[in-house]
């Protein structure tokens, strides 16, 4: 943290120049003629100055990315009017990419990786602005949890900084009250020692989980609020900073209030609560005094705290400071950060309203996403603006990464004040809240003494029950710890839908009788059901009580233990669909068609559940029939995995879609992105995606098929977290035109093994093979696949590429599996499946299973519905393969963005303004090598 102060004096008044003084004298002495000459001179001079000003303004335009006022929040303009200064936020455009954290198994290493990436990125990119502020003697505070600086600035400084291309926007840092209004809170002091477990704790079935031996042991809860009375009898035994004899507040407490602070004052070196709200919410997560006041859901968990509000009034800078502390707790001097001591789950019983700082609604998104990337579950109270629809309207509850909580009362009726969805603030129509919990008349600890308890109401009171449930679940099922996506799925799928809404309502087109809905989400949180849904020790938990079919891998496995077997038939014949393995443990098919005749498009999603060995057709109906030959894969949006699909066509048509959508299996909903995010590779409206793969939380599309014309050779990169209209980035061209190409990513490198091409009016198979390195934006030569093929997938299994059958020209289609090892740059044969096929959905979990089904039969015409499963009871992967290089013969390509190689990680995640919108140097789209044809080409392609 850096604070600098300096006095600022305005410039001294200047005396008139000698020339002006002489003019004044002559005007007074020379009469009318002199005056007339002078007027002429002045008019001429004025004309010249106008021209020069216009030319200067025009020449200056390119220096600024956008007019400064476009970046400045209206509140900032108001606060700095009339010569005033105000506390403002300078949000930088270049934000760090921490998506790699989601794939890390070593959780301590994950915490350090996210912290180091964020802090080092901020230190490097903030130098220019910090030098400017230092030179002007400006007081400021630098942050790394999001790349931003908070400073005290006047209008001139605001406009100067806003004009910089490295600044995304300037927001207000006003203070406001972000907790329950007293009329909602319904405060009342209650008697102590009721000698019973509180109704709200019983409502979430926590005592039944305690009876199983799980009370939250080993889990740390972070609470950022008005502070905590840590000496309260119900809190002290559960404070991580108390060992039963003495207190150590280092790494366990931080005070982000640096002035004011009410009865606590600022900069406290021990937890203190200046209003009672934080003491109450902390008690509901883990409080228990051991003498009968059983107020907390997870009394075996430990808590740590941060004060982000001054008597209930917070600022963006104070909650940012608390998030930063939780990602990497520090000592009481703010030094020696240690991410290994970060909490598992954070309670956020506050909102950031539009009127006081969070003007765009996007102010906290990056912070929440980065916190989740560090493996911290972020719960957020939905707000108290109900019962109208779309009143979940404020950060952080509106975000996809936040798990938002509504409030119910003792009769399981949704509270009238509980905010409803869908979220319209950001145009997403996102379903909110996720879940509901007790939030009316909740009794918990209070700050007036160590034995005081109070009854409060609000979604602030509901949220801690979800936080406590996460602690119980992770304590009982440690394999879920810091697995945010799966935990959200479990909580939602096991929620009790028995919630009454009076009067009934329909929000966002979903009545409250449909689950999930925008009134109370999936239902009320149920700790017992959540724990029981996950088998103890299961490596791949599901939302059902059946054991996982994927045992824990050991290092002694051999490939000989693996085998292919028949699976259950798909509910329908299906060709040209895409198979996707999702983190919930299920295999999904996206789109496709049931024949090659017009109108046969399959606008549905199928799910294969390994645990039950059954297929299910999901309820969603996809928005269009352009679902054949799409590029699909799993990407994380705000920390939540989604299935993204790009492009596609309809049966019998020679046009193709460019649209992008994502499908959420947990909610069974599809979201179509705006046309500004369409795939630029299909600007012609006739091009299908070629090969595709995902790495670094980005999708890459390599080549494509200009239907019945030619293959293409462009590479496009898609960032799901990029700004609207700036999610796509063109990269170097492929060495040759490719389409329907088996493609996969291994350790950050993308490999292509075989591909279709279009020659002489027919689709042919080739042995075209190469690698692409997204970090360096280069392609490289690899050993060619021995068998010409195409119209199939390449899968990443045990850090090798498995090319699955496919091919069109005799002797294809094939059931052969070709395996490429990027370390040795060699090909070998894998275990073949039974039925030759092409254009079929397939995917893998990467270690134990490969699923495939449908596709065209060996005649290349008949659609199939049969399924085959490659299963290894024990994974043959063993240790991870070394990270391969792209080979020594890599060909350097034209970089589409000069920032692509600044860091050793893949291209950083884009923010609202981080992605350059300047068109990259467009590679020539027609150059391609002569493909390797095979005999007996078949008739015209049916796209």
């Amino acid at each position: 943290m850096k604070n600098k102060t300096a006095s600022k004096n305005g410039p001294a008044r200047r005396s008139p120049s000698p020339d002006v003084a002489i003019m004044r004298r002559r005007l007074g002495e020379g009469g009318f003629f002199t005056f007339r000459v002078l007027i002429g001179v002045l008019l001429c001079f004025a004309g010249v100055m106008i021209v020069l000003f216009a030319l200067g303004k025009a020449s200056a335009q390119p220096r600024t990315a956008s007019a400064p006022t476009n970046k400045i929040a209206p509140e900032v303009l108001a606060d700095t009017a009339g010569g005033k200064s105000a506390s403002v936020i300078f949000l930088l455009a270049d934000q760090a990419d921490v998506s790699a954290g989601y794939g890390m198994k070593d959780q301590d290493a994950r915490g350090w990786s996210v912290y180091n990436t964020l802090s080092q990125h901020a230190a490097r990119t903030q130098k220019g602005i910090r030098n400017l502020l230092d030179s002007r003697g400006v007081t400021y505070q630098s942050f790394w949890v999001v790349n931003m600086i908070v400073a005290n600035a006047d209008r001139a400084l605001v406009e100067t900084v806003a004009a910089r291309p490295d600044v995304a926007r300037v927001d207000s840092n006003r203070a406001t009250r972000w907790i329950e209004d007293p009329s909602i809170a319904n405060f009342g002091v209650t008697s102590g020692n009721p000698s019973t477990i509180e109704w709200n704790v019983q409502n979430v079935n926590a005592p039944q989980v305690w009876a199983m031996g799980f009370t939250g042991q080993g889990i740390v809860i972070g609470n950022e609020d008005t502070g905590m009375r840590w000496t309260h009898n119900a809190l002290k035994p559960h404070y991580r900073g108390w060992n039963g004899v003495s207190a150590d507040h280092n790494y366990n407490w931080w005070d982000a209030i640096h002035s004011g602070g009410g009865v606590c004052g600022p900069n406290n070196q021990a937890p203190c609560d200046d209003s009672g709200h934080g003491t109450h919410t902390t008690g509901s997560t883990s409080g228990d005094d051991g003498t009968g006041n059983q107020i907390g859901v997870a009394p075996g968990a430990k808590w740590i705290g941060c004060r982000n509000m001054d008597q209930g009034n917070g600022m963006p800078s104070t909650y940012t400071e608390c998030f930063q502390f939780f990602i990497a707790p520090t000592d009481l001097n703010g030094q020696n950060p240690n991410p290994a001591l970060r909490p598992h789950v954070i309670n956020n019983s506050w909102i950031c309203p539009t009127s006081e700082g969070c003007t765009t609604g996007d102010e906290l998104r990056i912070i929440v996403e980065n916190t989740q990337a560090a493996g911290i579950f972020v719960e957020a109270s939905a707000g108290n603006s109900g019962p109208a629809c779309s009143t979940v309207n404020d950060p952080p509850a509106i975000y996809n990464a936040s798990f938002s909580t509504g409030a119910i009362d003792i009769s399981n009726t949704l509270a009238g004040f509980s905010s409803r969805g869908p979220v319209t603030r950001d145009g997403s129509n996102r379903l909110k809240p996720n879940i509901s919990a007790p939030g009316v008349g909740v009794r918990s600890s209070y700050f007036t003494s160590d034995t005081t308890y109070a009854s409060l109401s609000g979604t602030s009171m509901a949220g801690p029950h979800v936080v406590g449930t996460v602690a119980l679940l992770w304590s009982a099922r440690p394999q879920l710890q810091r697995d945010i996506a799966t935990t959200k799925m479990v909580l939602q799928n096991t929620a009790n839908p028995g919630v009454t809404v009076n009067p009934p309502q329909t929000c966002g087109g979903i009545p409250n009788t449909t689950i999930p809905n925008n009134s109370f989400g999936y239902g009320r949180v149920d700790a017992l059901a959540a724990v029981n849904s996950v088998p103890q020790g299961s490596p791949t938990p599901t939302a059902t009580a059946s054991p996982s079919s994927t045992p824990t891998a050991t290092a002694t496995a051999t490939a000989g233990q693996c085998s292919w077997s028949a699976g259950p038939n798909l509910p329908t014949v299906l060709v040209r669909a895409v198979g996707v393995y999702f983190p919930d443990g299920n295999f999904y098919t996206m789109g496709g068609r049931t024949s090659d005749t017009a109108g046969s498009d399959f606008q549905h999603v199928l799910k294969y559940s390994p645990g039950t060995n059954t297929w299910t057709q999901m309820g969603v109906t996809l928005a269009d029939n352009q679902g054949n030959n799409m590029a699909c894969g799993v990407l994380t949006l705000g920390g939540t995995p989604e299935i993204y699909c790009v492009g596609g066509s309809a049966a019998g048509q020679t046009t193709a879609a460019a649209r992008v959508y994502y499908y959420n299996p947990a909610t069974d909903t599809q979201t179509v992105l705006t046309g500004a995010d369409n795939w630029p590779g299909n600007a012609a409206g006739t091009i299908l995606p070629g090969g595709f793969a995902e790495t670094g939380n980005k999708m890459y599309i390599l080549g494509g098929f200009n239907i019945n014309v030619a293959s293409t050779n462009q590479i496009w990169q898609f960032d799901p977290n990029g700004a609207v209209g700036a999610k796509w980035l063109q990269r170097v061209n492929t060495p040759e035109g490719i389409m329907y190409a088996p493609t996969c990513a291994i350790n950050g490198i993308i490999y292509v093994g075989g591909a279709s091409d279009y020659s002489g009016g027919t689709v042919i198979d080739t042995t075209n093979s190469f690698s692409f390195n997204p970090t360096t934006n280069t392609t490289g030569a690899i050993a060619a696949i021995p068998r010409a093929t195409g119209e199939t997938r390449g899968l990443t299994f045990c850090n090798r590429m498995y090319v699955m059958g496919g091919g069109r020209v005799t002797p294809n289609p094939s059931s052969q599996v070709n395996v490429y090892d990027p370390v040795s740059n060699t090909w070998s044969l894998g275990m073949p499946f039974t039925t030759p096929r092409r254009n079929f959905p397939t995917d893998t979990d990467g270690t134990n299973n490969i699923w495939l089904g449908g596709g065209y039969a060996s005649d290349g015409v008949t659609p199939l519905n049969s399924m085959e499963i490659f299963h290894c009871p024990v994974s043959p992967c063993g240790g991870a393969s070394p990270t391969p290089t792209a080979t020594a013969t890599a060909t350097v390509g034209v970089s589409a963005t000069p920032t692509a190689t600044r860091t050793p990680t893949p291209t950083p995640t884009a923010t609202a303004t981080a992605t350059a919108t300047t068109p990259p140097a467009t590679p020539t789209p027609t150059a391609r090598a002569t493909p390797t044809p095979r005999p007996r080409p078949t008739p015209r392609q049916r796209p």
Side-chain angles (χ1 to χ4, degrees), residues 33-34 44 85 91-92 130 201-202 242 311 352 355 360 363 741 757 839 842 857 902:
F33 178 79
T34 303
C44 181
S85 294
L91 181 70
L92 276 72
R130 293 176 67 168
V201 177
Q202 295 184 55
W242 175 251
Q311 303 167 82
C352 177
S355 59
T360 68
E363 287 80 0
D757 207 339
N839 302 103
T842 180
R902 285 183 305 175

Side-chain angles (χ1 to χ4, degrees), residues 629-656:
N629 310 301
M630 298 185 293
C632 298
V634 177
L635 299 173
T636 298
L637 176 62
T640 299
E642 313 277 2
I643 297 177
Y644 276 82
C645 291
V646 179
S649 62
Q653 302 300 311
T654 56
T655 58

Side-chain angles (χ1 to χ4, degrees), residues 376-402:
I376 301 173
F377 190 103
V378 180
E379 183 281 332
S381 296
N384 304 309
S385 300
C389 299
S390 294
T391 46
V392 178
N393 198 45
D394 296 310
I398 63 173
Y399 300 132
N400 197 38
S402 299

